[in-house]
């Protein structure tokens, strides 16, 4: 047969036939057959599918066929893809029959259809209650499947997947048998319509993948920016630690020097100069005492007393002048240190103020970076949430429609 033999038949199936075929592909199970419930199950499933569009029924049917032959993905970008896929399915069916049924001696798809037709005819002769026509009606198809599997006798030992593999030749025979006789132009139109439907589905899936990649790239970009901002924050923190350390060292130096300078300034008036200054104060006080005494005495007595103390007063004046000169000499000797003290302290105080200003500025920068990093984290969470949703949708589409 031509390699397109099953391509035109599958697009020529009626909606009713597609529903029955798909119901059997999805619901055929060992338990259903053993319990004799396959008929009601197929009827319910076919009724449930009554609202599905034709192209969706066709696509789901092809997916179930591919699952039976263990294909993980399918592509129908053009007619050749569908032809090759149907050829792959028919080859798998032939291999199954060759491997499992010794009576089969054929090599082609036509041989397979003849062989399956003979088995269907044998069922009709064996059971007179079965309708003579194998038509796409759930009850009738269920009777034929039940008879077909009961004859083999190995039903209890089969898994559902193995059961469907054994049913694959029969299902392909049904596909070929139920195909409507339509013009080739109409078949081509149906085929083109299905390919367009698949491309639309694939377009939606590709769009989901593109959006997923966009969110993934956005996350990567935001993570790079976040890493850069975190690095900048570490640099700022290092600078802040250095400035705080510098400020603390200045304060510590001032704390260590201040007692020394206070002691040095106090020493000027507590050491030798202090003794001299105290002596001056005592001499001045004595002079004032003498003047007061003179004021209380009479004139003659005052003159007499002044004559007695003239020598002492002259000596006191000379001593006061001498001590004053020495005090000034002591202070002149410390002039350089005294004049430098305010400059030193003002410079260190200015350095502390500069450090405080830098600390405040760095803290402002750090706060801004913290706000920006939080914004990056929020953006990453936003993209991750969308990416997770898209990932679930993509996986669902991969599972449901066999996209890659």
């Amino acid at each position: 047969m031509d390699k397109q033999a099953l391509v035109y038949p599958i697009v020529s199936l009626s909606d009713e036939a597609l529903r029955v075929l798909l119901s059997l592909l999805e619901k055929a199970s060992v338990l259903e057959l053993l319990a004799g419930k396959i008929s009601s199950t197929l009827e319910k499933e076919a009724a449930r599918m009554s609202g599905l569009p034709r192209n969706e029924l066709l696509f789901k049917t092809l997916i179930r066929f591919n699952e039976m032959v263990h294909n993980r993905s399918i592509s129908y970008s053009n007619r050749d893809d569908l032809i090759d896929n149907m050829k792959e399915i028919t080859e798998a069916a032939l291999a199954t029959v060759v491997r499992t049924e010794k009576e089969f001696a054929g090599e082609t798809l036509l041989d397979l259809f003849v062989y399956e037709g003979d088995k269907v005819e044998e069922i009709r002769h064996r059971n007179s209650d079965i309708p003579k026509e194998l038509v796409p009606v759930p009850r009738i198809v269920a009777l034929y499947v039940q008879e077909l599997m009961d004859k083999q006798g190995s039903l209890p030992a089969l898994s559902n997947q193995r059961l469907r593999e054994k049913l694959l030749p029969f299902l392909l025979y049904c596909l070929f048998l139920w195909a409507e006789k339509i013009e080739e132009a109409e078949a081509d139109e149906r085929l083109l319509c299905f390919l367009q439907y698949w491309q639309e589905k694939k377009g939606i899936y590709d769009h989901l993948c593109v959006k997923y990649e966009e969110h993934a790239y956005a996350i990567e970009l935001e993570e790079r920016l976040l890493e850069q901002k975190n690095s900048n924050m570490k640099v700022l923190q290092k600078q802040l630690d250095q400035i705080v350390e510098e400020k603390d060292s200045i304060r510590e130096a001032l704390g260590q020097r201040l007692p020394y300078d206070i002691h040095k300034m106090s020493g000027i008036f507590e050491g030798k100069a202090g003794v001299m200054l105290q002596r001056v104060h005592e001499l001045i006080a004595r002079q004032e005492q003498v003047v007061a005494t003179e004021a209380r005495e009479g004139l003659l007595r005052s003159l007499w007393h002044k004559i007695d103390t003239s020598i002492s007063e002259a000596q006191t004046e000379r001593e006061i002048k001498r001590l004053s000169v020495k005090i000034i000499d002591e202070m002149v000797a410390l002039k350089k240190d005294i004049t430098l003290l305010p400059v030193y302290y003002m410079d260190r105080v200015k350095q502390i103020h500069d450090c405080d200003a830098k600390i405040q500025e760095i803290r402002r920068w750090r706060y801004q970076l913290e706000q920006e990093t939080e914004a990056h984290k929020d953006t990453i969470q936003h993209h991750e949430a969308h990416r997770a949703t898209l990932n679930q949708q993509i996986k669902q589409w991969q599972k449901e429609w066999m996209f890659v």
Side-chain angles (χ1 to χ4, degrees), residues 128-367:
S128 59
D129 294 333
I130 292 181
K132 302 302 181 184
E133 296 286 336
L134 176 56
V135 292
V137 176
R139 182 183 62 83
I140 296 175
V141 174
L143 290 173
Y144 274 96
V145 170
Q146 191 80 55
E147 287 289 328
L148 187 65
M149 297 311 300
D150 286 345
K151 181 189 175 185
Q152 295 192 7
S154 59
L155 188 59
L158 295 178
S159 64
N160 288 337
Q161 176 65 25
R162 185 76 180 109
L163 169 66
R164 289 165 189 172
E165 289 176 4
K166 291 180 74 66
L167 284 174
L168 178 58
F170 172 75
L171 293 171
L172 292 180
Y173 172 75
C174 291
L175 188 159
F176 182 74
L177 182 66
W178 296 339
E180 295 179 342
K181 304 299 181 181
I182 61 175
E183 296 293 331
E184 184 174 345
E186 185 179 353
D188 287 335
E189 184 178 351
R190 289 187 181 185
L191 177 57
L192 179 61
C193 182
F194 169 72
L195 295 177
Q196 290 174 345
Y197 170 82
W198 182 89
Q199 289 167 1
E200 289 174 2
K201 284 280 187 181
K202 185 64 163 59
I204 296 172
Y205 172 78
D206 290 340
H207 176 72
L208 292 175
C209 292
V210 169
K211 296 299 292 183
Y212 178 88
E213 292 299 327
E214 287 177 357
H215 284 291
Y217 175 76
I219 291 172
E220 182 181 357
L221 180 61
E222 290 293 328
E223 286 177 343
R224 289 180 182 177
L225 292 173
L226 180 60
E227 183 180 357
Q228 183 180 358
K229 295 294 173 62
N230 287 332
S231 177
N232 292 340
M233 285 184 64
K234 290 180 181 178
V235 172
L236 285 179
Q237 186 61 45
K238 185 177 181 181
Q239 293 177 353
L240 181 61
D241 293 341
Q242 290 174 346
I243 293 172
V244 170
E245 184 179 353
E246 180 182 351
K247 176 184 173 182
D248 291 342
S249 65
I250 294 171
R251 292 174 64 87
E252 183 179 356
L254 281 177
Q256 291 176 352
R257 175 158 179 169
L258 188 60
Y260 167 75
D261 288 337
I262 291 173
H263 179 71
K264 183 165 66 172
M265 292 298 295
S266 299
I268 295 173
F269 301 100
E270 291 178 0
K272 184 177 179 181
V275 174
M276 289 186 290
L277 184 61
Q278 182 65 31
R279 178 62 178 161
V280 170
H281 286 316
E282 290 175 358
L283 292 173
I284 292 173
R286 184 184 299 175
Q287 281 183 331
E288 291 175 350
Q289 185 179 4
V290 169
V291 173
T293 303
E294 290 177 352
R296 291 193 302 268
E297 296 177 348
L299 179 60
L300 292 175
R301 192 171 182 82
S302 176
L303 290 172
W304 178 253
H305 181 74
K306 187 175 183 180
I307 292 169
D308 282 343
T309 59
S310 60
I311 297 174
S312 296
E313 289 178 359
Q315 291 175 345
T316 300
E317 289 292 337
R318 287 195 300 271
E319 184 67 14
I320 289 173
K321 290 180 181 180
R322 185 182 68 81
L323 291 174
S324 297
V325 169
K326 286 201 173 198
I327 291 171
I328 292 171
D329 289 341
E330 288 289 331
M331 296 188 69
V332 168
L334 292 170
K335 178 181 179 181
K336 183 178 180 181
D337 290 338
I338 292 173
T339 56
L340 288 179
L341 282 176
V343 176
Y344 173 82
Y345 283 100
M346 289 300 296
D347 183 59
R348 295 305 181 274
V349 169
K350 183 179 182 300
Q351 289 179 1
I352 291 174
H353 283 302
D354 290 342
C355 288
D356 287 336
K358 290 179 181 177
I359 288 171
Q360 292 300 320
E361 185 178 9
I362 289 175
R363 283 175 177 170
R364 284 195 297 270
W365 290 345
R366 187 176 64 180
Y367 175 77

Side-chain angles (χ1 to χ4, degrees), residues 89-105:
I89 293 170
T90 57
E91 289 175 351
L94 280 167
T96 299
V97 176
V98 170
R99 185 179 65 254
T100 60
E101 303 194 23
K102 298 178 180 180
E103 298 86 355
F104 180 69

